[in-house]
Structure formats: structure tokens, C-alpha cells
DNA sequence: GCAGAACTACGATGGTCCTCGTACATCGGA
DNA sequence: TCCGATGTACGAGGACCATCGTAGTTCTGC
């Protein structure tokens, strides 16, 4: 919960979104942002896109409000940048900032996510299956 | 919240602690476990120790109950192993399992944590400086 | 100006998490 | 056997989070 600098220059419409400065990005916040399945999938899509993409290309199993919330969390925690572009809002990973602050972190997490998904696809969907819960 | 296998063989005293199997370790859970400052510091100490160490060597600014809670979270999320050794309980990182599931993740996070601490020591403590939080 | 599209803000709800104090269990040793 | 040390379990309180629906704002195009 870093005090995101609400860079609202004029008092009017908040057409400029607040982003934390690079030095204000905290590792715990980034990890927390990445710890949510929905947000992690967003980051994965963004990483594959290799550029900007609007909010509406994501098909997460949540409502639009919730998606907005997750985007905001990602932005306020320094994981992505968001800019208005007409009626759409473009999202992009802060690859440079993150790579500079925490070298390799983003790539490692993304690789781990892909790896886990690949393993999960072959291991069956029932997440409870692996639990074993050995009945004595 | 993975269904940790409650491996309680005999109905009596739970002298054997439940650990998730390697395949049951989820990336989101590991990230969540690492997203807490207290737990991250625990993991850092454990990483520096390069082996087992008891619960009582940590001087986190929390009560003993809370520390126990964090250790349990780390264990149930697959980050550490815990074994009884007399009155003490030894903790150790699951380096192998994590390295196998998510190559480089642990080392990257640990390096990021060290990096952030080093930067934070020179940047001063006043985190609220960048905040501004301009009330519209 | 007006309709539609894209997105946000707000409030509410239910759940999870962090923290703690207190009481209890286990082990080693006197 | 009894005591101290180590650590757990339980319950509670307060904060935070994820989710949603609804209403509102901003921009584009006719």
C-alpha cells in the first residue's frame, strides 16, 4: 500500500492516472500483485502482447468492475502503466523499471507461471487431486 | 489455500507436521507467502543459514503466536519444511523443490529483497515523502 | 445534440489475513 | 517427579481484499 502519488494536475477530470515512481515500487507489493490468479493472468497476457493492449481483451472469469480493480492494483503497485487512448485505456508492463529494480524477477515469475500451467494441463484439472490427503 | 495433507497417522499427538507434496505447490501460494514482510525476512534468514534453524532465532517485531502463524503459512504453502527436534522445531527452505518447480524464483526474489534493502538504507526511511496524496 | 462504447467510482458483502493474549502440550533436565 | 523452555491451538478483533451491481464520466461517431 504505497501512497501512490495522485498526479491530478488540474482539479477537473482525472484524465491522468497516478503511477508510483520507480523508486516507490516495493518488492512485497509486486509479489502481492502477482499472487492473485486473475492479476497473474493479466500480466501474462501483457507479457505475451509485448506492448500495449486495452482492458477489454482480457477474458477473465470476473466482472468488469473486478477487472478494473485488478488493473488498478497492478498499476498502483508498479507492475503496469495505464494511459488513456480515446475511449480505451492501454496497459503495458513496466518491464524496464521492474528489470532495473528486481532483475529477472518478472521473467522468472512468468516462466514459472507457464511452467505451472503446462504441468497442470497434464496433471488433470481437479486441483484437489494432488493434495493426496492420505487417509491413514 | 491448498488442501494440505494432514498426515496425522495416529490419532494422538500430532508430532508429524503436514507438508504439501511437491506437485501441490502452487505459484500463487508461494508468491503470497513471500509477499509478507515478516515471512520474507524469515525466508531470507533461512536462506542465509543454508540449513536448519530453530524458530527462536528470529527477532521479528511480532509476537510468538504470530511468528508461529507465519511459519505455518510458509510450510503449508510449500516454502519451508519443519521438523521436530526435541523441544525445538527446525526450519529449512525447500530449495530443491522450489528450484525444480520454479527455476530461479527463490534466488531472484532473495536477490531482489537484498537489493531493495540496500537501496532503502540509503534512500532514507520517510516513505511518506513521495506520497503527496493530493486531496482533490 | 444524441446514442453507444469503454471504463471508473461508489457502496455493500463475504471472506481472508495479520495480530495478539491466553491456555495447553511436549520435551529435556534437575 | 516437577520445572522451565519451546512451540501450538484457539478465539477474538481489526484491517484488508476480491467480488459484484449500479450509476456516472469521458470519448467517438452520426
Amino acid at each position: 500500500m504505497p501512497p501512490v502519488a495522485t498526479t491530478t494536475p488540474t482539479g477537473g477530470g482525472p484524465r491522468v492516472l497516478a503511477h508510483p515512481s520507480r523508486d516507490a515500487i516495493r518488492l512485497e507489493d509486486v509479489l502481492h500483485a502477482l499472487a492473485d490468479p486473475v492479476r497473474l493472468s493479466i500480466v501474462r497476457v501483457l507479457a505475451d502482447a509485448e506492448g500495449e493492449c486495452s482492458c477489454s481483451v482480457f477474458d477473465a472469469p470476473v466482472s468488469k468492475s473486478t477487472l478494473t480493480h485488478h488493473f488498478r492494483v497492478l498499476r498502483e503497485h508498479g507492475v503496469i502503466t495505464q494511459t488513456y487512448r480515446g475511449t480505451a485505456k492501454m496497459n503495458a508492463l513496466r518491464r524496464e523499471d521492474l528489470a532495473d529494480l528486481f532483475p529477472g524477477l518478472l521473467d522468472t515469475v512468468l516462466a514459472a507461471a507457464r511452467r505451472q500451467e503446462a504441468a497442470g494441463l497434464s496433471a488433470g484439472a481437479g486441483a484437489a487431486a494432488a493434495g493426496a490427503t492420505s487417509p491413514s
Side-chain angles (χ1 to χ4, degrees), chain A:
Chain A
M1 315 52 178
V4 178
T6 45
T7 317
T8 313
T10 72
R15 285 293 87 189
V16 180
L17 292 163
H19 293 79
S21 70
R22 208 200 56 178
D23 295 336
I25 299 177
R26 301 271 306 159
L27 174 61
E28 298 92 334
D29 292 331
V30 174
L31 292 176
H32 181 212
L34 264 33
D36 186 276
V38 175
R39 291 195 289 263
L40 187 55
S41 75
I42 290 176
V43 170
R44 290 185 61 191
V45 172
L46 245 33
D48 291 344
E50 285 282 352
E52 300 182 331
C53 54
S54 89
C55 286
S56 55
V57 305
F58 301 92
D59 58 345
V62 293
S63 76
K64 198 163 277 204
S65 309
T66 306
L67 214 50
T68 298
H69 160 73
H70 285 305
F71 273 109
R72 173 155 42 165
V73 171
L74 286 172
R75 189 189 73 232
E76 292 185 342
H77 286 9
V79 180
I80 66 171
T81 58
Q82 294 186 293
T83 49
Y84 283 106
R85 201 176 188 95
T87 66
K89 190 157 75 168
M90 292 310 191
N91 307 278
L93 280 180
R94 296 181 68 168
R95 297 196 88 113
E96 262 193 46
D97 289 333
L98 291 176
D100 205 37
L101 286 167
F102 315 121
L105 179 65
L106 190 58
D107 291 332
T108 307
V109 172
L110 288 171
R114 290 192 208 97
R115 203 185 185 89
Q116 174 171 281
E117 191 185 54
L121 289 180
S122 59
T133 62
S134 67
S136 64

Short mmCIF file of all heavy atoms in Angstrom, two decimals, chain A residues 55-56 65 68 84 87 89, chain C residues 4-10:
data_model
loop_
_atom_site.label_atom_id
_atom_site.label_comp_id
_atom_site.label_asym_id
_atom_site.label_seq_id
_atom_site.Cartn_x
_atom_site.Cartn_y
_atom_site.Cartn_z
N CYS A 55 -8.05 -2.80 -22.03
CA CYS A 55 -8.58 -3.57 -20.93
C CYS A 55 -9.55 -4.65 -21.40
O CYS A 55 -9.81 -5.62 -20.69
CB CYS A 55 -9.30 -2.66 -19.95
SG CYS A 55 -8.22 -1.64 -18.94
N SER A 56 -10.12 -4.47 -22.56
CA SER A 56 -11.24 -5.33 -22.96
C SER A 56 -10.80 -6.60 -23.66
O SER A 56 -11.64 -7.38 -24.10
CB SER A 56 -12.19 -4.55 -23.87
OG SER A 56 -11.47 -4.03 -24.98
N SER A 65 -16.11 -4.69 -13.32
CA SER A 65 -15.68 -3.90 -12.16
C SER A 65 -14.47 -4.54 -11.50
O SER A 65 -13.49 -3.85 -11.17
CB SER A 65 -16.82 -3.81 -11.15
OG SER A 65 -18.00 -3.39 -11.74
N THR A 68 -11.38 -4.00 -13.50
CA THR A 68 -10.86 -2.64 -13.29
C THR A 68 -10.09 -2.57 -11.99
O THR A 68 -9.01 -1.97 -11.91
CB THR A 68 -12.02 -1.64 -13.27
OG1 THR A 68 -12.68 -1.66 -14.55
CG2 THR A 68 -11.52 -0.24 -13.00
N TYR A 84 -4.68 6.65 -21.12
CA TYR A 84 -5.91 6.78 -21.89
C TYR A 84 -5.57 6.98 -23.36
O TYR A 84 -4.59 7.65 -23.71
CB TYR A 84 -6.73 7.96 -21.37
CG TYR A 84 -7.46 7.64 -20.09
CD1 TYR A 84 -7.02 8.14 -18.88
CD2 TYR A 84 -8.57 6.82 -20.11
CE1 TYR A 84 -7.69 7.85 -17.71
CE2 TYR A 84 -9.24 6.52 -18.94
CZ TYR A 84 -8.80 7.04 -17.74
OH TYR A 84 -9.46 6.73 -16.59
N THR A 87 -11.39 6.31 -25.99
CA THR A 87 -12.26 5.68 -25.00
C THR A 87 -11.59 4.47 -24.36
O THR A 87 -12.01 4.00 -23.32
CB THR A 87 -13.57 5.21 -25.66
OG1 THR A 87 -13.26 4.15 -26.58
CG2 THR A 87 -14.22 6.34 -26.42
N LYS A 89 -8.33 2.29 -22.71
CA LYS A 89 -7.19 2.52 -21.82
C LYS A 89 -6.16 1.46 -22.11
O LYS A 89 -6.45 0.26 -22.02
CB LYS A 89 -7.64 2.47 -20.37
CG LYS A 89 -6.58 2.95 -19.43
CD LYS A 89 -7.15 3.42 -18.12
CE LYS A 89 -7.56 2.23 -17.28
NZ LYS A 89 -7.88 2.63 -15.91
P DG C 4 -28.46 3.52 -28.38
OP1 DG C 4 -29.20 2.53 -29.18
OP2 DG C 4 -28.85 3.82 -26.99
"O5'" DG C 4 -26.91 3.11 -28.38
"C5'" DG C 4 -26.23 3.01 -29.61
"C4'" DG C 4 -24.74 2.94 -29.37
"O4'" DG C 4 -24.26 4.22 -28.87
"C3'" DG C 4 -24.31 1.89 -28.33
"O3'" DG C 4 -23.29 1.08 -28.90
"C2'" DG C 4 -23.78 2.72 -27.15
"C1'" DG C 4 -23.30 3.98 -27.86
N9 DG C 4 -23.24 5.16 -26.99
C8 DG C 4 -24.27 5.68 -26.23
N7 DG C 4 -23.93 6.75 -25.57
C5 DG C 4 -22.59 6.95 -25.90
C6 DG C 4 -21.68 7.96 -25.50
O6 DG C 4 -21.88 8.90 -24.73
N1 DG C 4 -20.43 7.79 -26.09
C2 DG C 4 -20.10 6.78 -26.95
N2 DG C 4 -18.86 6.77 -27.41
N3 DG C 4 -20.94 5.83 -27.34
C4 DG C 4 -22.16 5.98 -26.79
P DA C 5 -22.87 -0.27 -28.14
OP1 DA C 5 -23.00 -1.38 -29.10
OP2 DA C 5 -23.56 -0.32 -26.84
"O5'" DA C 5 -21.32 -0.03 -27.87
"C5'" DA C 5 -20.53 0.60 -28.87
"C4'" DA C 5 -19.20 1.05 -28.28
"O4'" DA C 5 -19.37 2.30 -27.58
"C3'" DA C 5 -18.61 0.06 -27.26
"O3'" DA C 5 -17.22 -0.09 -27.48
"C2'" DA C 5 -18.89 0.73 -25.91
"C1'" DA C 5 -18.84 2.20 -26.27
N9 DA C 5 -19.64 3.05 -25.40
C8 DA C 5 -20.96 2.88 -25.09
N7 DA C 5 -21.44 3.81 -24.29
C5 DA C 5 -20.36 4.64 -24.07
C6 DA C 5 -20.20 5.81 -23.31
N6 DA C 5 -21.19 6.38 -22.62
N1 DA C 5 -18.98 6.40 -23.29
C2 DA C 5 -18.01 5.84 -24.00
N3 DA C 5 -18.03 4.74 -24.76
C4 DA C 5 -19.25 4.19 -24.74
P DA C 6 -16.43 -1.30 -26.77
OP1 DA C 6 -15.45 -1.82 -27.74
OP2 DA C 6 -17.42 -2.20 -26.15
"O5'" DA C 6 -15.63 -0.55 -25.62
"C5'" DA C 6 -14.70 0.45 -25.97
"C4'" DA C 6 -14.18 1.14 -24.72
"O4'" DA C 6 -15.23 1.98 -24.18
"C3'" DA C 6 -13.78 0.17 -23.60
"O3'" DA C 6 -12.47 0.45 -23.18
"C2'" DA C 6 -14.82 0.41 -22.50
"C1'" DA C 6 -15.24 1.84 -22.77
N9 DA C 6 -16.60 2.15 -22.31
C8 DA C 6 -17.74 1.42 -22.53
N7 DA C 6 -18.82 1.95 -22.01
C5 DA C 6 -18.36 3.10 -21.39
C6 DA C 6 -19.02 4.10 -20.65
N6 DA C 6 -20.32 4.09 -20.39
N1 DA C 6 -18.26 5.12 -20.18
C2 DA C 6 -16.95 5.12 -20.43
N3 DA C 6 -16.22 4.24 -21.13
C4 DA C 6 -17.00 3.24 -21.58
P DC C 7 -11.74 -0.59 -22.24
OP1 DC C 7 -10.30 -0.54 -22.57
OP2 DC C 7 -12.47 -1.87 -22.24
"O5'" DC C 7 -11.95 0.13 -20.84
"C5'" DC C 7 -11.58 1.51 -20.70
"C4'" DC C 7 -12.23 2.12 -19.50
"O4'" DC C 7 -13.67 2.13 -19.66
"C3'" DC C 7 -12.01 1.41 -18.17
"O3'" DC C 7 -11.02 2.11 -17.42
"C2'" DC C 7 -13.37 1.44 -17.48
"C1'" DC C 7 -14.20 2.35 -18.38
N1 DC C 7 -15.65 2.06 -18.37
C2 DC C 7 -16.52 2.95 -17.76
O2 DC C 7 -16.06 3.98 -17.25
N3 DC C 7 -17.85 2.69 -17.77
C4 DC C 7 -18.31 1.57 -18.34
N4 DC C 7 -19.62 1.36 -18.31
C5 DC C 7 -17.44 0.63 -18.96
C6 DC C 7 -16.13 0.91 -18.96
P DT C 8 -10.77 1.67 -15.92
OP1 DT C 8 -9.36 1.99 -15.66
OP2 DT C 8 -11.29 0.32 -15.70
"O5'" DT C 8 -11.67 2.70 -15.09
"C5'" DT C 8 -11.63 4.07 -15.42
"C4'" DT C 8 -12.45 4.87 -14.43
"O4'" DT C 8 -13.86 4.61 -14.65
"C3'" DT C 8 -12.17 4.55 -12.96
"O3'" DT C 8 -12.12 5.75 -12.21
"C2'" DT C 8 -13.35 3.68 -12.56
"C1'" DT C 8 -14.47 4.22 -13.44
N1 DT C 8 -15.52 3.22 -13.76
C2 DT C 8 -16.83 3.48 -13.44
O2 DT C 8 -17.17 4.48 -12.88
N3 DT C 8 -17.71 2.49 -13.80
C4 DT C 8 -17.43 1.31 -14.45
O4 DT C 8 -18.30 0.51 -14.72
C5 DT C 8 -16.03 1.10 -14.75
C7 DT C 8 -15.61 -0.14 -15.44
C6 DT C 8 -15.15 2.05 -14.40
P DA C 9 -11.61 5.71 -10.72
OP1 DA C 9 -10.42 6.57 -10.67
OP2 DA C 9 -11.53 4.31 -10.27
"O5'" DA C 9 -12.78 6.43 -9.90
"C5'" DA C 9 -13.98 6.81 -10.56
"C4'" DA C 9 -15.09 7.09 -9.55
"O4'" DA C 9 -16.22 6.22 -9.83
"C3'" DA C 9 -14.74 6.83 -8.09
"O3'" DA C 9 -15.50 7.71 -7.27
"C2'" DA C 9 -15.15 5.38 -7.90
"C1'" DA C 9 -16.38 5.28 -8.79
N9 DA C 9 -16.53 3.96 -9.43
C8 DA C 9 -15.55 3.19 -9.96
N7 DA C 9 -15.98 2.06 -10.48
C5 DA C 9 -17.35 2.09 -10.27
C6 DA C 9 -18.39 1.20 -10.59
N6 DA C 9 -18.19 0.04 -11.21
N1 DA C 9 -19.64 1.53 -10.23
C2 DA C 9 -19.84 2.70 -9.60
N3 DA C 9 -18.94 3.64 -9.26
C4 DA C 9 -17.71 3.27 -9.62
P DC C 10 -15.29 7.75 -5.72
OP1 DC C 10 -15.40 9.17 -5.34
OP2 DC C 10 -14.08 6.98 -5.38
"O5'" DC C 10 -16.56 6.99 -5.16
"C5'" DC C 10 -17.85 7.32 -5.67
"C4'" DC C 10 -18.89 6.34 -5.13
"O4'" DC C 10 -18.91 5.16 -5.95
"C3'" DC C 10 -18.62 5.88 -3.70
"O3'" DC C 10 -19.72 6.24 -2.87
"C2'" DC C 10 -18.46 4.36 -3.81
"C1'" DC C 10 -19.11 4.04 -5.14
N1 DC C 10 -18.51 2.89 -5.85
C2 DC C 10 -19.31 1.83 -6.31
O2 DC C 10 -20.52 1.88 -6.09
N3 DC C 10 -18.75 0.80 -6.97
C4 DC C 10 -17.43 0.79 -7.18
N4 DC C 10 -16.91 -0.24 -7.85
C5 DC C 10 -16.60 1.85 -6.73
C6 DC C 10 -17.17 2.87 -6.07
#
